[in-house]
Amino acid sequence: MRTIHIWAAAMCLMLMAACSQDAKVASGQFPFLDKLGITCDAELLLSDTISMPDIYCGDATQSVDDLKGKRLDPEQYEALIVPAGPDFADTMSNWLLLGVRDVGGGNTLAAYYACNGMGYCVDLITYDKQGNILDAINARELHLLWRCDLKNPKDDNSFTLDGFITFDGPNRLTLHRTMGRCLMDFDGDLKGKPQWSQQWQQQYFINPLGHFVLQGQQVTGQQGDVDQYAVLDFKSWDMLICSRHDPAVMDVWNDYSELVNSTYDPDYEYNPFPWDISELYKMNPQRFLKWMAAHRGKDNRLLPQFKLPVDERPALLEEIKRLDDSSARQWLTDLVNSWDDKPLTKHL
């Protein structure tokens, strides 16, 4: 009996030592976070799934204080978020570090939740060993309740959007999305099951440079008579959740435009795809322009969709002047000068 007690005590000591060692490994695995006073214990190590925080704006029964994670103080926010640029930085937000993950090559993926009382988002940011930002994508509003017509309170149609993120390997992740059309009562509460819904996925690969590479999207299931216009709208919006740097995203957008062109009726005035392409341009103008200049033939299906409003064209021409290739500069300049003042869609 005494032998059993001695063995059990030894096992307890071994487990305690192992747990202590795991804690040391976790705290030393991300030194740039340690310097900011953020210790990555087991709860902050991202494993298989990021469940999107289910906090809706204006709902007093829910609070960001109930979410798990590490609340960032001003110094941590300045170091970890602000360098990502104005599309991400928001001093009015409550910033929460949901977790971190080693994605190889000394690079780190961090997931953040931000809420400012008017909207919220989940940001994914990659860092090098020193904590320098390599890339960032904004998975905006993965939970969304959107009224079709806010000016018409009798309109009881709404779209719901839901999602979560899974990790499929050390440096791969998938964005899972569900969209559905529902009925909503006067108080804004959903009534019953969706009239139709569709599920789809988007796969990403984090390359050795720490860039998010969008590899494509696919439908994984649907119920009912799906509104293809609504689905295309949201999917192209989702595709803006992509790398700020990697040029592979341009090929994915070019392939997707073929589906958009084959679905939209030319007489259907509200086609947001040109607006989405202009947003893709703004993410990294040089990446976009170099790709366009390298694809001047019929295989460039983005070309007919790309046209910026008049007030944004001077800045575009300045970006074109920065290109090294003189023939590319001339071709793109001629393209911009050929545009009339009519927008491609009322959305512009």
Side-chain angles (χ1 to χ4, degrees):
M1 180 67 69
R2 182 180 178 184
T3 302
I4 294 177
H5 283 295
I6 294 175
W7 176 84
M11 288 298 295
C12 288
L13 289 173
M14 290 174 63
L15 288 172
M16 291 173 62
C19 292
S20 176
Q21 183 65 26
D22 287 344
K24 290 180 181 178
V25 171
S27 64
Q29 190 174 0
F30 312 102
F32 69 96
L33 294 178
D34 291 335
K35 291 180 180 179
L36 293 171
I38 300 176
T39 300
C40 295
D41 55 19
E43 289 190 356
L44 279 182
L45 294 178
L46 295 174
S47 55
D48 298 325
T49 304
I50 301 178
S51 298
M52 296 298 103
D54 193 4
I55 301 295
Y56 289 88
C57 300
D59 187 343
T61 65
Q62 302 181 76
S63 171
V64 70
D65 296 328
D66 299 328
L67 298 176
K68 294 182 179 179
K70 162 67 178 174
R71 181 72 62 86
L72 299 185
D73 62 30
E75 179 185 1
Q76 294 163 347
Y77 164 78
E78 289 288 334
L80 296 172
I81 305 297
V82 171
D87 289 343
F88 295 85
D90 184 351
T91 58
M92 299 300 292
S93 288
N94 292 307
W95 283 89
L96 198 71
L97 174 61
L98 297 176
V100 295
R101 182 181 179 90
D102 182 354
V103 290
N107 298 332
T108 298
L109 167 69
Y112 300 94
Y113 170 86
C115 177
N116 62 8
M118 296 180 64
Y120 68 91
C121 61
V122 173
D123 291 338
L124 303 178
I125 301 179
T126 52
Y127 303 88
D128 64 13
K129 293 179 180 179
Q130 289 72 41
N132 300 309
I133 290 180
L134 302 173
D135 201 359
I137 61 177
N138 189 326
R140 289 183 182 275
E141 301 162 329
L142 287 182
H143 288 268
L144 175 69
L145 179 63
W146 180 56
R147 290 296 299 270
C148 292
D149 185 358
L150 294 176
K151 297 180 181 179
N152 181 7
K154 294 182 179 180
D155 179 8
D156 61 357
N157 290 305
S158 68
F159 292 117
T160 60
L161 201 62
D162 204 355
F164 61 96
I165 297 172
T166 58
F167 296 102
D168 312 308
N171 55 357
R172 294 182 181 274
L173 57 99
T174 300
L175 173 62
H176 303 261
R177 302 287 268 170
T178 298
M179 178 186 177
R181 188 182 187 94
C182 304
L183 293 177
M184 186 164 56
D185 62 24
F186 187 78
D187 295 324
D189 296 325
L190 294 178
K191 298 187 298 185
K193 296 180 179 180
Q195 296 169 313
W196 60 261
S197 64
Q198 185 180 86
Q199 300 79 42
W200 70 90
Q201 298 177 353
Q202 292 173 199
Q203 294 83 29
Y204 301 87
F205 166 70
I206 303 176
N207 68 15
L209 297 176
H211 296 165
F212 295 95
V213 182
L214 175 60
Q215 297 186 302
Q217 60 182 348
Q218 60 187 20
V219 174
T220 57
Q222 62 185 37
Q223 298 78 38
D225 188 9
V226 174
D227 182 345
Q228 293 297 335
Y229 285 163
V231 167
L232 286 175
D233 187 354
F234 276 89
K235 282 185 182 177
S236 59
W237 180 37
D238 272 353
M239 288 174 63
L240 291 170
I241 305 174
C242 60
S243 172
R244 266 25 194 186
H245 307 289
D246 196 276
V249 67
M250 298 295 301
D251 295 323
V252 176
W253 273 81
N254 191 52
D255 292 340
Y256 184 66
S257 68
E258 189 169 15
L259 175 61
V260 174
N261 292 334
S262 64
T263 301
Y264 272 99
D265 187 322
D267 295 330
Y268 186 68
E269 295 176 333
Y270 182 78
N271 179 354
F273 196 63
W275 179 84
D276 294 326
I277 290 176
S278 71
E279 291 299 306
L280 179 65
Y281 157 79
K282 293 172 186 177
M283 280 187 182
N284 188 332
Q286 288 295 302
R287 172 191 62 181
F288 187 98
L289 295 173
K290 288 177 181 178
W291 187 93
M292 292 291 283
H295 297 78
R296 307 183 196 181
K298 63 180 181 179
D299 291 336
N300 184 346
R301 292 181 287 272
L302 297 180
L303 184 60
Q305 308 280 357
F306 178 57
K307 186 170 75 171
L308 297 187
V310 176
D311 60 345
E312 296 181 11
R313 294 176 194 175
L316 169 59
L317 290 171
E318 289 300 316
E319 286 289 349
I320 292 174
K321 291 178 182 178
R322 293 177 52 203
L323 294 171
D324 294 331
D325 187 339
S326 59
S327 65
R329 292 196 303 269
Q330 186 61 56
W331 181 76
L332 287 165
T333 300
D334 292 342
L335 170 66
V336 175
N337 290 334
S338 72
W339 291 343
D340 57 33
D341 293 340
K342 296 179 182 179
L344 288 174
T345 170
K346 286 186 176 181
H347 200 56
L348 284 173

